[in-house]
Amino acid sequence: MELVFRRRAVVSRATVVIPDPEGEVRAALTVGQAVSVRWGYRGEVGYWQEWEGTVENIDQPRADSASADAVTVSAVGLEKALTTTTVTESFYREPADVVARRLLARTGLAVGTVDVPGDVLPYQVFSGVSVARAVKQLSHTLERSFGHDMSRHALWLGASGLTWSAGDEPGDVYSVATAENLIAHTPPQTPDGVGVVVSVLLPGLTHSRLVHIRDTRRGVDATVRALDVVHTLQDGGNSTAISYGKDTGWL
C-alpha cells in the first residue's frame, strides 16, 4: 500500500495491491466505491492513521506480471469533492474570507481554518467552475486587486476540516533522528531546493505538519514543514518519505 499527501496538490491518493488469485476481490470492486484504510502499530494507541476516499481506478496486471495474482486499486481522498462540486454564484461586497468559507461549504465537507485576508470584494462571479478552481480564482483576485502574496497558501483537508492557509496543520511535531528512525536523508542542495528524508513508518503524518530532523552525519538539526509525505507498506519493509524545503504552495 502507498498513501500520498502533497501540499501542492488538492487531493490525497492511495494505491493498494490486493492478492486476488481467485478474482473474488476484483468482482466485488467498482469505481466510485467507498474506501477506508486504517493502519499503524499494534499496541500503540497514538500511532494510527485513518484515511477515507473512493475507488478511482482498478487495474488487473498482465498475465506475465509478477503480480498477476493481485489487483491494484487506486483511490482518491474525500477532498475529491473540491474538484467535482461546481459553483455558479456571484458575490457583491462580501469579505474574501466569507466568500471562501461559502465556497468550501458547498462540498459538504467540514470547513476548518480559512486564513486569508478579509478584503471586501466589490463583485466576484463564479460561473460553472469547480470549488477548487473558484478558490484559485479568489486567490488570484486577492493577489492582483489587493496586492496580497498568496504563493504559500495551500488548500487541504485537515483534522478540523477543509483548510486554506499559508500555515501548518496543527499537531505534535514529528521527529526523525539519527540512531532512532532515520533511514536516508538528502538535504536541499540550494536555498530554493527540496530535500528528502526517509524514516521508519510514521503513522498520522500528512503534509503541512512540522517535522524535526536531527541528522548528526550531515549536521542537520532543523524543524521543517512536510511538503510531501509518502507512506509505503510492502513486504520488503515499511517507510515514510518526507520532502521539505522550497514551499510553492498549492499549484
Side-chain angles (χ1 to χ4, degrees):
M1 180 175 71
E2 183 179 79
L3 275 169
V4 181
F5 303 88
R6 303 191 190 280
R7 184 173 172 88
R8 65 181 183 273
V10 174
V11 182
S12 58
R13 296 183 174 274
T15 303
V16 187
V17 179
I18 307 171
D20 188 28
E22 302 298 328
E24 297 176 354
V25 174
R26 179 63 186 88
L29 291 172
T30 58
V31 172
Q33 184 176 351
V35 176
S36 179
V37 176
R38 186 172 186 269
W39 57 281
Y41 290 109
R42 293 189 183 94
E44 299 288 345
V45 177
Y47 291 94
W48 285 83
Q49 185 165 355
E50 296 185 9
W51 182 88
E52 293 182 280
T54 56
V55 175
E56 183 180 50
N57 185 59
I58 306 164
D59 181 46
Q60 191 74 46
R62 296 182 353 180
D64 59 351
S65 169
S67 56
D69 288 339
V71 60
T72 301
V73 180
S74 300
V76 291
L78 297 177
E79 314 94 324
K80 184 182 179 181
L82 289 165
T83 64
T84 57
T85 305
T86 57
V87 178
T88 299
E89 197 167 356
S90 61
F91 296 87
Y92 177 68
R93 296 197 59 79
E94 290 280 1
D97 55 338
V98 172
V99 172
R101 286 187 170 277
R102 284 271 298 276
L103 292 173
L104 296 177
R106 290 287 295 271
T107 64
L109 299 171
V111 179
T113 301
V114 177
D115 184 15
V116 298
D119 299 86
V120 176
L121 307 172
Y123 195 54
Q124 187 81 37
V125 178
F126 305 103
S127 181
V129 297
S130 68
V131 171
R133 179 58 58 187
V135 171
K136 181 63 78 174
Q137 183 180 331
L138 181 57
S139 176
H140 290 329
T141 298
L142 288 169
E143 287 184 323
R144 297 170 183 172
S145 299
F146 299 96
H148 296 293
D149 180 8
M150 303 294 291
S151 62
R152 287 171 58 86
H153 273 71
L155 177 63
W156 71 91
L157 180 60
S160 64
L162 290 172
T163 300
W164 187 23
S165 170
D168 306 311
E169 173 70 11
D172 296 335
V173 177
Y174 280 76
S175 175
V176 178
T178 299
E180 292 182 13
N181 57 358
L182 190 152
I183 297 174
H185 183 203
T186 303
Q189 301 303 301
T190 65
D192 289 335
V194 173
V196 178
V197 61
V198 181
S199 79
V200 300
L201 211 57
L202 297 175
L205 180 62
T206 61
H207 75 70
S208 301
R209 293 288 295 271
L210 294 179
V211 179
H212 185 195
I213 300 173
R214 288 182 289 118
D215 184 347
T216 56
R217 180 180 175 185
R218 295 166 182 79
V220 175
D221 187 343
T223 299
V224 301
R225 171 190 287 168
L227 301 179
D228 296 342
V229 175
V230 179
H231 300 291
T232 303
L233 295 88
Q234 56 189 354
D235 290 340
N238 306 322
S239 65
T240 295
I242 307 158
S243 70
Y244 68 95
K246 176 67 174 180
D247 186 356
T248 56
W250 163 39
L251 300 179

